[in-house]
Amino acid sequence: MIPDLGKYAAEVGLAYAVSLVLLAAIVGLSWRQSVIQRAALDAAEARKNG
């Protein structure tokens, strides 16, 4: 079910595309930061436990 957007179809499609790209970037950056922090925590625990 695709709604008829008339003359605004390109603008609405672009808005959806930009939103999805930004959302993917936020998720990707969050995942990357999680990996970095997990590695730092593992290194700190390894130093603590000898």
Side-chain angles (χ1 to χ4, degrees):
M1 295 215 271
I2 299 174
D4 181 24
L5 301 173
K7 65 180 183 174
Y8 299 109
E11 288 84 357
V12 172
L14 182 60
Y16 271 104
V18 169
S19 297
L20 289 174
V21 167
L22 290 174
L23 184 59
I26 290 170
V27 169
L29 290 172
S30 295
W31 175 79
R32 180 175 172 251
Q33 188 65 27
S34 171
V35 169
I36 291 168
Q37 291 301 319
R38 184 177 304 261
L41 179 60
D42 289 343
E45 287 180 346
R47 284 192 308 269
K48 180 180 177 186
N49 294 332

